[in-house]
Amino acid sequence: MAKKSKYYVVWNGVKPGIYNTWEDCQRQITGFEKARFKSYESYESALLSFKAGKDISEPKIPLTKAQIEKNSICVDAACSGNPGNMEYRGVETSTSRQIFHVGPLPDGTNNVGEFLALVHALALLKKLNKTDTLIYTDSQTAMAWVRDKKIKSTLERTSKNKEIFEMLERALLWLKSNSYPNKIIKWDTVKWGEIPADFGRK
């Protein structure tokens, strides 16, 4: 069975609009500060949301305050191949506003990206003195690496991924040199759907 196509809405980007492929969408958001975009299963939903200037699709299960903490950010990563072009980002959970985005960087993995995203979020929140802001991630692996302050990856260092390994070294050093009160919570994809920081490539 052919894979279902997705439609990508770009509200804030080089050229806002609706795109049929992730590659076309990526060209509009890569390097664009405060880019805002989302994927949709149908063109109709994409068009309605684009015209409204916001996501107007209804989640399968209402997200109540009891379920998801409003004062939070969420992180996610994506990788084209394993290893492949890796990128990660963090967004405000309640609005999907992008806070940071790094990549794509060559010869990375999704787990590495998820870990770097978590540490990036922790360091940013500490810098901003937002000690009560929660962080959501859908990666148990990244949570374990942060907790243990140790990376268990089989990724091999190459001439292409030197920057990624330098980032990993800085991330580990930060974890070993800093404490943080921010809670890291596992995102419940089954109950809540895809994490808002998702890159929409599934």
Side-chain angles (χ1 to χ4, degrees), residues 1-30:
M1 182 180 293
K3 188 177 180 180
K4 185 190 295 184
S5 298
K6 283 197 174 187
Y7 300 90
Y8 301 87
V9 172
V10 177
W11 290 285
N12 292 343
V14 176
K15 185 178 180 181
I18 301 173
Y19 296 88
N20 295 328
T21 68
W22 167 246
E23 289 73 20
D24 288 340
C25 172
Q26 191 176 37
R27 280 192 281 270
Q28 311 308 316
I29 61 174
T30 300

PDB file of all heavy atoms in Angstrom, residues 1-30:
ATOM      1  N   MET A   1       0.839  -1.200   0.000  1.00  0.00           N
ATOM      2  CA  MET A   1       0.000   0.000   0.000  1.00  0.00           C
ATOM      3  C   MET A   1       0.870   1.245   0.000  1.00  0.00           C
ATOM      4  O   MET A   1       1.828   1.318   0.747  1.00  0.00           O
ATOM      5  CB  MET A   1      -0.910   0.016   1.235  1.00  0.00           C
ATOM      6  CG  MET A   1      -1.853   1.224   1.297  1.00  0.00           C
ATOM      7  SD  MET A   1      -2.908   1.186   2.783  1.00  0.00           S
ATOM      8  CE  MET A   1      -3.926  -0.244   2.430  1.00  0.00           C
ATOM      9  N   ALA A   2       0.540   2.192  -0.852  1.00  0.00           N
ATOM     10  CA  ALA A   2       1.328   3.422  -0.941  1.00  0.00           C
ATOM     11  C   ALA A   2       1.187   4.240   0.332  1.00  0.00           C
ATOM     12  O   ALA A   2       0.130   4.270   0.961  1.00  0.00           O
ATOM     13  CB  ALA A   2       0.863   4.243  -2.137  1.00  0.00           C
ATOM     14  N   LYS A   3       2.254   4.880   0.722  1.00  0.00           N
ATOM     15  CA  LYS A   3       2.249   5.704   1.921  1.00  0.00           C
ATOM     16  C   LYS A   3       1.401   6.949   1.700  1.00  0.00           C
ATOM     17  O   LYS A   3       1.474   7.593   0.662  1.00  0.00           O
ATOM     18  CB  LYS A   3       3.680   6.128   2.266  1.00  0.00           C
ATOM     19  CG  LYS A   3       3.786   6.838   3.602  1.00  0.00           C
ATOM     20  CD  LYS A   3       5.229   7.146   3.904  1.00  0.00           C
ATOM     21  CE  LYS A   3       5.366   7.853   5.255  1.00  0.00           C
ATOM     22  NZ  LYS A   3       6.775   8.158   5.544  1.00  0.00           N
ATOM     23  N   LYS A   4       0.566   7.255   2.679  1.00  0.00           N
ATOM     24  CA  LYS A   4      -0.329   8.400   2.569  1.00  0.00           C
ATOM     25  C   LYS A   4       0.468   9.699   2.529  1.00  0.00           C
ATOM     26  O   LYS A   4       1.408   9.896   3.291  1.00  0.00           O
ATOM     27  CB  LYS A   4      -1.272   8.425   3.767  1.00  0.00           C
ATOM     28  CG  LYS A   4      -2.341   9.519   3.685  1.00  0.00           C
ATOM     29  CD  LYS A   4      -3.096   9.650   4.993  1.00  0.00           C
ATOM     30  CE  LYS A   4      -3.884   8.421   5.315  1.00  0.00           C
ATOM     31  NZ  LYS A   4      -4.693   8.587   6.555  1.00  0.00           N
ATOM     32  N   SER A   5       0.081  10.582   1.632  1.00  0.00           N
ATOM     33  CA  SER A   5       0.773  11.861   1.516  1.00  0.00           C
ATOM     34  C   SER A   5       0.389  12.777   2.671  1.00  0.00           C
ATOM     35  O   SER A   5      -0.695  12.661   3.244  1.00  0.00           O
ATOM     36  CB  SER A   5       0.416  12.537   0.192  1.00  0.00           C
ATOM     37  OG  SER A   5       0.822  11.743  -0.895  1.00  0.00           O
ATOM     38  N   LYS A   6       1.276  13.689   2.992  1.00  0.00           N
ATOM     39  CA  LYS A   6       0.985  14.701   3.994  1.00  0.00           C
ATOM     40  C   LYS A   6       1.096  16.068   3.357  1.00  0.00           C
ATOM     41  O   LYS A   6       1.727  16.235   2.312  1.00  0.00           O
ATOM     42  CB  LYS A   6       1.934  14.586   5.184  1.00  0.00           C
ATOM     43  CG  LYS A   6       1.600  13.444   6.123  1.00  0.00           C
ATOM     44  CD  LYS A   6       2.291  13.618   7.472  1.00  0.00           C
ATOM     45  CE  LYS A   6       1.835  12.559   8.439  1.00  0.00           C
ATOM     46  NZ  LYS A   6       2.351  12.776   9.807  1.00  0.00           N
ATOM     47  N   TYR A   7       0.488  17.037   4.011  1.00  0.00           N
ATOM     48  CA  TYR A   7       0.545  18.415   3.546  1.00  0.00           C
ATOM     49  C   TYR A   7       1.135  19.253   4.671  1.00  0.00           C
ATOM     50  O   TYR A   7       0.807  19.071   5.839  1.00  0.00           O
ATOM     51  CB  TYR A   7      -0.855  18.911   3.172  1.00  0.00           C
ATOM     52  CG  TYR A   7      -1.485  18.083   2.084  1.00  0.00           C
ATOM     53  CD1 TYR A   7      -2.254  16.963   2.393  1.00  0.00           C
ATOM     54  CD2 TYR A   7      -1.287  18.394   0.742  1.00  0.00           C
ATOM     55  CE1 TYR A   7      -2.816  16.174   1.402  1.00  0.00           C
ATOM     56  CE2 TYR A   7      -1.847  17.617  -0.266  1.00  0.00           C
ATOM     57  CZ  TYR A   7      -2.604  16.512   0.072  1.00  0.00           C
ATOM     58  OH  TYR A   7      -3.148  15.733  -0.922  1.00  0.00           O
ATOM     59  N   TYR A   8       2.025  20.148   4.302  1.00  0.00           N
ATOM     60  CA  TYR A   8       2.768  20.926   5.292  1.00  0.00           C
ATOM     61  C   TYR A   8       2.414  22.399   5.175  1.00  0.00           C
ATOM     62  O   TYR A   8       2.619  23.015   4.131  1.00  0.00           O
ATOM     63  CB  TYR A   8       4.274  20.725   5.089  1.00  0.00           C
ATOM     64  CG  TYR A   8       4.690  19.283   5.198  1.00  0.00           C
ATOM     65  CD1 TYR A   8       4.650  18.451   4.088  1.00  0.00           C
ATOM     66  CD2 TYR A   8       5.109  18.755   6.410  1.00  0.00           C
ATOM     67  CE1 TYR A   8       5.012  17.115   4.194  1.00  0.00           C
ATOM     68  CE2 TYR A   8       5.473  17.418   6.528  1.00  0.00           C
ATOM     69  CZ  TYR A   8       5.419  16.602   5.404  1.00  0.00           C
ATOM     70  OH  TYR A   8       5.776  15.288   5.508  1.00  0.00           O
ATOM     71  N   VAL A   9       1.872  22.927   6.274  1.00  0.00           N
ATOM     72  CA  VAL A   9       1.515  24.351   6.323  1.00  0.00           C
ATOM     73  C   VAL A   9       2.665  25.123   6.950  1.00  0.00           C
ATOM     74  O   VAL A   9       3.160  24.753   8.023  1.00  0.00           O
ATOM     75  CB  VAL A   9       0.239  24.572   7.144  1.00  0.00           C
ATOM     76  CG1 VAL A   9      -0.016  26.074   7.342  1.00  0.00           C
ATOM     77  CG2 VAL A   9      -0.956  23.928   6.455  1.00  0.00           C
ATOM     78  N   VAL A  10       3.098  26.163   6.279  1.00  0.00           N
ATOM     79  CA  VAL A  10       4.122  27.056   6.819  1.00  0.00           C
ATOM     80  C   VAL A  10       3.484  28.420   7.030  1.00  0.00           C
ATOM     81  O   VAL A  10       3.097  29.081   6.072  1.00  0.00           O
ATOM     82  CB  VAL A  10       5.328  27.185   5.859  1.00  0.00           C
ATOM     83  CG1 VAL A  10       6.337  28.189   6.417  1.00  0.00           C
ATOM     84  CG2 VAL A  10       5.987  25.825   5.652  1.00  0.00           C
ATOM     85  N   TRP A  11       3.324  28.794   8.289  1.00  0.00           N
ATOM     86  CA  TRP A  11       2.774  30.118   8.591  1.00  0.00           C
ATOM     87  C   TRP A  11       3.889  31.160   8.631  1.00  0.00           C
ATOM     88  O   TRP A  11       3.745  32.235   8.072  1.00  0.00           O
ATOM     89  CB  TRP A  11       2.041  30.094   9.940  1.00  0.00           C
ATOM     90  CG  TRP A  11       0.767  29.326   9.940  1.00  0.00           C
ATOM     91  CD1 TRP A  11      -0.435  29.690   9.400  1.00  0.00           C
ATOM     92  CD2 TRP A  11       0.563  28.032  10.524  1.00  0.00           C
ATOM     93  NE1 TRP A  11      -1.360  28.701   9.611  1.00  0.00           N
ATOM     94  CE2 TRP A  11      -0.790  27.679  10.301  1.00  0.00           C
ATOM     95  CE3 TRP A  11       1.386  27.147  11.208  1.00  0.00           C
ATOM     96  CZ2 TRP A  11      -1.337  26.484  10.738  1.00  0.00           C
ATOM     97  CZ3 TRP A  11       0.861  25.950  11.644  1.00  0.00           C
ATOM     98  CH2 TRP A  11      -0.490  25.623  11.404  1.00  0.00           C
ATOM     99  N   ASN A  12       4.967  30.821   9.320  1.00  0.00           N
ATOM    100  CA  ASN A  12       6.129  31.712   9.391  1.00  0.00           C
ATOM    101  C   ASN A  12       7.308  31.010   8.740  1.00  0.00           C
ATOM    102  O   ASN A  12       7.772  29.984   9.233  1.00  0.00           O
ATOM    103  CB  ASN A  12       6.484  32.041  10.849  1.00  0.00           C
ATOM    104  CG  ASN A  12       5.423  32.888  11.516  1.00  0.00           C
ATOM    105  OD1 ASN A  12       4.594  33.493  10.846  1.00  0.00           O
ATOM    106  ND2 ASN A  12       5.435  32.939  12.831  1.00  0.00           N
ATOM    107  N   GLY A  13       7.787  31.556   7.645  1.00  0.00           N
ATOM    108  CA  GLY A  13       8.895  30.950   6.923  1.00  0.00           C
ATOM    109  C   GLY A  13       9.314  31.844   5.775  1.00  0.00           C
ATOM    110  O   GLY A  13       8.809  32.967   5.627  1.00  0.00           O
ATOM    111  N   VAL A  14      10.239  31.365   4.962  1.00  0.00           N
ATOM    112  CA  VAL A  14      10.698  32.156   3.821  1.00  0.00           C
ATOM    113  C   VAL A  14       9.520  32.527   2.929  1.00  0.00           C
ATOM    114  O   VAL A  14       9.345  33.675   2.534  1.00  0.00           O
ATOM    115  CB  VAL A  14      11.748  31.362   3.009  1.00  0.00           C
ATOM    116  CG1 VAL A  14      12.161  32.157   1.768  1.00  0.00           C
ATOM    117  CG2 VAL A  14      12.966  31.058   3.863  1.00  0.00           C
ATOM    118  N   LYS A  15       8.689  31.542   2.630  1.00  0.00           N
ATOM    119  CA  LYS A  15       7.495  31.776   1.812  1.00  0.00           C
ATOM    120  C   LYS A  15       6.346  30.975   2.410  1.00  0.00           C
ATOM    121  O   LYS A  15       6.224  29.776   2.169  1.00  0.00           O
ATOM    122  CB  LYS A  15       7.739  31.363   0.360  1.00  0.00           C
ATOM    123  CG  LYS A  15       6.573  31.702  -0.559  1.00  0.00           C
ATOM    124  CD  LYS A  15       6.882  31.309  -2.002  1.00  0.00           C
ATOM    125  CE  LYS A  15       5.694  31.658  -2.914  1.00  0.00           C
ATOM    126  NZ  LYS A  15       5.960  31.250  -4.323  1.00  0.00           N
ATOM    127  N   PRO A  16       5.471  31.622   3.213  1.00  0.00           N
ATOM    128  CA  PRO A  16       4.341  30.915   3.813  1.00  0.00           C
ATOM    129  C   PRO A  16       3.463  30.272   2.746  1.00  0.00           C
ATOM    130  O   PRO A  16       3.300  30.797   1.653  1.00  0.00           O
ATOM    131  CB  PRO A  16       3.588  32.032   4.547  1.00  0.00           C
ATOM    132  CG  PRO A  16       4.641  33.055   4.842  1.00  0.00           C
ATOM    133  CD  PRO A  16       5.534  33.042   3.630  1.00  0.00           C
ATOM    134  N   GLY A  17       2.922  29.117   3.074  1.00  0.00           N
ATOM    135  CA  GLY A  17       2.050  28.439   2.130  1.00  0.00           C
ATOM    136  C   GLY A  17       1.838  26.994   2.528  1.00  0.00           C
ATOM    137  O   GLY A  17       2.151  26.578   3.646  1.00  0.00           O
ATOM    138  N   ILE A  18       1.298  26.200   1.596  1.00  0.00           N
ATOM    139  CA  ILE A  18       1.044  24.777   1.808  1.00  0.00           C
ATOM    140  C   ILE A  18       1.943  23.995   0.856  1.00  0.00           C
ATOM    141  O   ILE A  18       1.962  24.264  -0.350  1.00  0.00           O
ATOM    142  CB  ILE A  18      -0.432  24.431   1.546  1.00  0.00           C
ATOM    143  CG1 ILE A  18      -1.348  25.250   2.478  1.00  0.00           C
ATOM    144  CG2 ILE A  18      -0.675  22.939   1.757  1.00  0.00           C
ATOM    145  CD1 ILE A  18      -2.817  25.095   2.176  1.00  0.00           C
ATOM    146  N   TYR A  19       2.669  23.025   1.402  1.00  0.00           N
ATOM    147  CA  TYR A  19       3.633  22.271   0.603  1.00  0.00           C
ATOM    148  C   TYR A  19       3.330  20.778   0.652  1.00  0.00           C
ATOM    149  O   TYR A  19       2.855  20.264   1.668  1.00  0.00           O
ATOM    150  CB  TYR A  19       5.058  22.555   1.097  1.00  0.00           C
ATOM    151  CG  TYR A  19       5.449  24.000   0.906  1.00  0.00           C
ATOM    152  CD1 TYR A  19       5.172  24.953   1.884  1.00  0.00           C
ATOM    153  CD2 TYR A  19       6.027  24.425  -0.283  1.00  0.00           C
ATOM    154  CE1 TYR A  19       5.484  26.297   1.694  1.00  0.00           C
ATOM    155  CE2 TYR A  19       6.344  25.762  -0.482  1.00  0.00           C
ATOM    156  CZ  TYR A  19       6.072  26.686   0.507  1.00  0.00           C
ATOM    157  OH  TYR A  19       6.371  28.017   0.310  1.00  0.00           O
ATOM    158  N   ASN A  20       3.599  20.110  -0.449  1.00  0.00           N
ATOM    159  CA  ASN A  20       3.255  18.697  -0.580  1.00  0.00           C
ATOM    160  C   ASN A  20       4.329  17.747  -0.056  1.00  0.00           C
ATOM    161  O   ASN A  20       4.060  16.576   0.177  1.00  0.00           O
ATOM    162  CB  ASN A  20       2.990  18.349  -2.049  1.00  0.00           C
ATOM    163  CG  ASN A  20       1.770  19.062  -2.596  1.00  0.00           C
ATOM    164  OD1 ASN A  20       0.822  19.313  -1.862  1.00  0.00           O
ATOM    165  ND2 ASN A  20       1.787  19.389  -3.868  1.00  0.00           N
ATOM    166  N   THR A  21       5.552  18.240   0.124  1.00  0.00           N
ATOM    167  CA  THR A  21       6.638  17.373   0.603  1.00  0.00           C
ATOM    168  C   THR A  21       7.378  18.039   1.755  1.00  0.00           C
ATOM    169  O   THR A  21       7.403  19.272   1.866  1.00  0.00           O
ATOM    170  CB  THR A  21       7.660  17.068  -0.512  1.00  0.00           C
ATOM    171  OG1 THR A  21       8.370  18.270  -0.860  1.00  0.00           O
ATOM    172  CG2 THR A  21       6.961  16.520  -1.763  1.00  0.00           C
ATOM    173  N   TRP A  22       7.987  17.182   2.601  1.00  0.00           N
ATOM    174  CA  TRP A  22       8.773  17.700   3.715  1.00  0.00           C
ATOM    175  C   TRP A  22       9.967  18.499   3.215  1.00  0.00           C
ATOM    176  O   TRP A  22      10.348  19.509   3.795  1.00  0.00           O
ATOM    177  CB  TRP A  22       9.229  16.562   4.605  1.00  0.00           C
ATOM    178  CG  TRP A  22      10.288  16.973   5.580  1.00  0.00           C
ATOM    179  CD1 TRP A  22      11.573  16.566   5.637  1.00  0.00           C
ATOM    180  CD2 TRP A  22      10.139  17.938   6.647  1.00  0.00           C
ATOM    181  NE1 TRP A  22      12.246  17.184   6.650  1.00  0.00           N
ATOM    182  CE2 TRP A  22      11.400  18.029   7.297  1.00  0.00           C
ATOM    183  CE3 TRP A  22       9.076  18.707   7.115  1.00  0.00           C
ATOM    184  CZ2 TRP A  22      11.606  18.863   8.369  1.00  0.00           C
ATOM    185  CZ3 TRP A  22       9.295  19.551   8.202  1.00  0.00           C
ATOM    186  CH2 TRP A  22      10.543  19.615   8.820  1.00  0.00           C
ATOM    187  N   GLU A  23      10.560  18.043   2.117  1.00  0.00           N
ATOM    188  CA  GLU A  23      11.725  18.737   1.570  1.00  0.00           C
ATOM    189  C   GLU A  23      11.383  20.172   1.194  1.00  0.00           C
ATOM    190  O   GLU A  23      12.145  21.110   1.464  1.00  0.00           O
ATOM    191  CB  GLU A  23      12.276  17.988   0.356  1.00  0.00           C
ATOM    192  CG  GLU A  23      12.966  16.673   0.683  1.00  0.00           C
ATOM    193  CD  GLU A  23      12.004  15.569   1.087  1.00  0.00           C
ATOM    194  OE1 GLU A  23      10.798  15.692   0.763  1.00  0.00           O
ATOM    195  OE2 GLU A  23      12.454  14.598   1.717  1.00  0.00           O
ATOM    196  N   ASP A  24      10.222  20.372   0.542  1.00  0.00           N
ATOM    197  CA  ASP A  24       9.803  21.726   0.166  1.00  0.00           C
ATOM    198  C   ASP A  24       9.521  22.575   1.398  1.00  0.00           C
ATOM    199  O   ASP A  24       9.862  23.760   1.451  1.00  0.00           O
ATOM    200  CB  ASP A  24       8.545  21.669  -0.718  1.00  0.00           C
ATOM    201  CG  ASP A  24       8.837  21.143  -2.106  1.00  0.00           C
ATOM    202  OD1 ASP A  24      10.015  21.179  -2.514  1.00  0.00           O
ATOM    203  OD2 ASP A  24       7.895  20.691  -2.779  1.00  0.00           O
ATOM    204  N   CYS A  25       8.889  21.944   2.393  1.00  0.00           N
ATOM    205  CA  CYS A  25       8.601  22.656   3.638  1.00  0.00           C
ATOM    206  C   CYS A  25       9.901  23.050   4.336  1.00  0.00           C
ATOM    207  O   CYS A  25      10.051  24.175   4.805  1.00  0.00           O
ATOM    208  CB  CYS A  25       7.755  21.769   4.547  1.00  0.00           C
ATOM    209  SG  CYS A  25       7.508  22.414   6.218  1.00  0.00           S
ATOM    210  N   GLN A  26      10.848  22.122   4.360  1.00  0.00           N
ATOM    211  CA  GLN A  26      12.112  22.352   5.058  1.00  0.00           C
ATOM    212  C   GLN A  26      12.868  23.537   4.481  1.00  0.00           C
ATOM    213  O   GLN A  26      13.509  24.298   5.216  1.00  0.00           O
ATOM    214  CB  GLN A  26      12.963  21.089   4.983  1.00  0.00           C
ATOM    215  CG  GLN A  26      14.185  21.107   5.883  1.00  0.00           C
ATOM    216  CD  GLN A  26      14.932  19.790   5.829  1.00  0.00           C
ATOM    217  OE1 GLN A  26      15.022  19.171   4.777  1.00  0.00           O
ATOM    218  NE2 GLN A  26      15.448  19.353   6.949  1.00  0.00           N
ATOM    219  N   ARG A  27      12.763  23.715   3.156  1.00  0.00           N
ATOM    220  CA  ARG A  27      13.462  24.840   2.522  1.00  0.00           C
ATOM    221  C   ARG A  27      12.914  26.186   3.011  1.00  0.00           C
ATOM    222  O   ARG A  27      13.615  27.195   2.982  1.00  0.00           O
ATOM    223  CB  ARG A  27      13.336  24.743   0.999  1.00  0.00           C
ATOM    224  CG  ARG A  27      14.308  23.754   0.371  1.00  0.00           C
ATOM    225  CD  ARG A  27      14.364  23.908  -1.133  1.00  0.00           C
ATOM    226  NE  ARG A  27      13.238  23.262  -1.771  1.00  0.00           N
ATOM    227  CZ  ARG A  27      13.234  21.986  -2.181  1.00  0.00           C
ATOM    228  NH1 ARG A  27      14.303  21.238  -2.004  1.00  0.00           N
ATOM    229  NH2 ARG A  27      12.170  21.479  -2.761  1.00  0.00           N
ATOM    230  N   GLN A  28      11.674  26.199   3.457  1.00  0.00           N
ATOM    231  CA  GLN A  28      11.058  27.442   3.910  1.00  0.00           C
ATOM    232  C   GLN A  28      11.371  27.767   5.368  1.00  0.00           C
ATOM    233  O   GLN A  28      11.258  28.913   5.790  1.00  0.00           O
ATOM    234  CB  GLN A  28       9.520  27.377   3.730  1.00  0.00           C
ATOM    235  CG  GLN A  28       9.053  26.904   2.368  1.00  0.00           C
ATOM    236  CD  GLN A  28       9.683  27.672   1.230  1.00  0.00           C
ATOM    237  OE1 GLN A  28       9.782  28.902   1.270  1.00  0.00           O
ATOM    238  NE2 GLN A  28      10.111  26.944   0.195  1.00  0.00           N
ATOM    239  N   ILE A  29      11.746  26.756   6.143  1.00  0.00           N
ATOM    240  CA  ILE A  29      11.901  26.962   7.593  1.00  0.00           C
ATOM    241  C   ILE A  29      13.334  26.869   8.091  1.00  0.00           C
ATOM    242  O   ILE A  29      13.659  27.397   9.158  1.00  0.00           O
ATOM    243  CB  ILE A  29      11.043  25.943   8.374  1.00  0.00           C
ATOM    244  CG1 ILE A  29      11.489  24.520   8.059  1.00  0.00           C
ATOM    245  CG2 ILE A  29       9.561  26.128   8.054  1.00  0.00           C
ATOM    246  CD1 ILE A  29      10.801  23.449   8.883  1.00  0.00           C
ATOM    247  N   THR A  30      14.209  26.178   7.347  1.00  0.00           N
ATOM    248  CA  THR A  30      15.583  26.016   7.799  1.00  0.00           C
ATOM    249  C   THR A  30      16.290  27.368   7.897  1.00  0.00           C
ATOM    250  O   THR A  30      16.341  28.127   6.931  1.00  0.00           O
ATOM    251  CB  THR A  30      16.372  25.106   6.838  1.00  0.00           C
ATOM    252  OG1 THR A  30      15.745  23.825   6.800  1.00  0.00           O
ATOM    253  CG2 THR A  30      17.810  24.943   7.311  1.00  0.00           C
TER     254      THR A  30
END
